Amino acid sequence: MKDLPAYAELHCLTNFTFLRGASHPEELVDRARGLGYAALAITDECSVAGVVRAHMEAKKQDLKLLIGAEFRLTDGLRFVALATNRQGYGRLCSLITRGRRAAPKGEYALTRADVESCLDQCLLLWLPDARSDVRSDVRLDVWSDVRPEARADARPDAQPDLEAAAWLQERFRGNVWIAVELTRDGADRARLDRLQRVGRKLGLPLVASGDVHMHVRERRRLQDALTAIRLNVTLAEVGWHAQSNGERHLRERARLARLYPRELLAETLAVAERCTFSLDELRYEYPRELVPAGETPATYLRKLVEQGMRMRWPQGAPPGAGDTIEHELDLIADLRYEPYFLTVYDIVAHARSLGILCQGRGSAANSLVCYCLGVTSVGPDRASLLIERFISRERNEPPDIDIDFEHERREEVLQYVYGKYGRERAALAATVIMYRHRSALRDLGMAFGLDPMQIRQLSRVAQW
């Protein structure tokens, strides 16, 4: 193992690239660590949805994780972008948001102008070969009568779009590589020779890359099933749209050493070394305009809590309440969460000023500070609840304060938040829809060609 060249995988999809990737982020990280990779990049298509799970696993495995995304522009230009630093990650996320907002749900649309204004702090890997495993919004009828090897981009004598590569080189000079992805499809030698000539002509370095869709070869059958589901056909009808082999997995370094020139493998480390960003650098950045002049977040929060104590207990706080509040305020101060509590208080106070019914729930009911701020309406002292269920040093993350607003007037609250902070600083949280047993069984049944009655019967008798 020591004699094998080191390697960092720079192009890897997870199952968060829905119906393309066939492995969980954790599986990919664990496999990369087991193979002795120097680093692994998670590059889901126009998404960073899989990087949090990958980050958590990478910390356990002590593996360097690179964060990026794969993109296909409206003109067909395809590349991977890797964030080099905190600013680059922010720019990458901005580009993803822009692309998703410009297209129907589940799709994205980006132009070269979008890329040019967003990716100055990222490294780009040009992907000159448009693989048969195309974007999820491409349907089977697009290629119904065209075999992949008959397309121009799959022929050994085909020429890559040099104009696209030249554009990337001009706009992002010094930050662009040609990704060489050799997947033993019969054209590897011709592809490598062709891309080496392109690299010399344009002055672009080449780097090895795997176009990884699964952590082990055995996921090939699942990947084929996902392709069938994505194209809305049966497995028998997938034909040339399925991957030609099982090479798009995390491969052993000995195998990579036989496929790639050593300098292309070494170049993966040069790219990885320039990517220093980690999700650990992210911190909540709370609004500053909530604190009046002459106050700090800590002093202002204390003032509001003291006002709330007088409102809640006009005859004086019950025994022990003062000590509990001091304990909570000390804990909040140690973790510097005062702005978070002030933000929630401001929204709740505004809603109540308009007569909008609202109520805090969940673990926030454990907090006397929330009770004094009016966020919750039942004092935790009545049930001897512990603040540590709501906020603790060990968890080292902001507490979760859930507020229910009457649904008829919820939009008024949303518009207040947008108006106060601006649409560049406020947004609705998105959720990722995940397969559950019944829906997965239904789609697999369709891919296997079962009729609806058979699928329903299977669903009824299956044991989850």
Side-chain angles (χ1 to χ4, degrees), residues 406-424:
E406 56 175 307
H407 68 276
E408 293 90 349
R409 304 187 65 185
R410 189 178 303 151
E411 186 61 28
E412 295 178 54
V413 181
L414 294 177
Q415 292 307 316
Y416 169 73
V417 173
Y418 279 124
K420 188 177 186 69
Y421 301 112
R423 293 185 177 269
E424 295 301 317

Side-chain angles (χ1 to χ4, degrees), residues 30 70 78 140 316 333:
D30 181 67
E70 174 192 300
R78 187 163 167 263
L140 185 62

Side-chain angles (χ1 to χ4, degrees), residues 256-315:
L256 293 170
R258 293 193 297 269
L259 290 174
Y260 290 92
R262 202 174 187 92
E263 60 270 20
L264 268 64
L265 297 175
E267 192 67 17
T268 66
L269 304 182
V271 174
E273 287 174 3
R274 291 184 58 181
C275 297
T276 61
F277 172 71
S278 167
L279 288 182
D280 286 334
E281 298 177 40
L282 298 181
R283 295 290 184 272
Y284 284 94
E285 299 178 11
Y286 299 104
R288 296 185 177 91
E289 55 265 47
L290 296 172
V291 181
E295 298 274 9
T296 66
T299 61
Y300 186 50
L301 178 62
R302 178 176 289 276
K303 182 178 293 186
L304 292 175
V305 170
E306 290 173 350
Q307 292 175 2
M309 290 176 66
R310 292 191 290 271
M311 178 192 68
R312 293 297 192 187
W313 303 296
Q315 307 302 319

Side-chain angles (χ1 to χ4, degrees), residues 158-177:
Q159 293 302 314
D161 185 357
L162 298 185
E163 184 276 332
W167 180 82
L168 288 173
Q169 170 73 321
E170 179 184 353
R171 297 300 190 279
F172 303 98
R173 189 172 300 276
N175 293 331
V176 182
W177 284 259

Side-chain angles (χ1 to χ4, degrees), residues 428-450:
L428 291 173
T431 59
V432 177
I433 303 301
M434 302 182 67
Y435 260 140
R436 298 301 179 191
H437 295 110
R438 291 186 185 278
S439 58
L441 180 60
R442 181 192 66 236
D443 285 353
L444 277 174
M446 293 172 62
F448 282 110
L450 302 180

Side-chain angles (χ1 to χ4, degrees), residues 305 309 313 316-329 368-369 371-372 380-381:
V305 170
M309 290 176 66
W313 303 296
D323 292 339
T324 301
I325 289 173
E326 286 299 325
H327 171 64
E328 291 187 27
L329 289 175
L368 271 179
V369 166
Y371 180 59
C372 292
D381 54 311

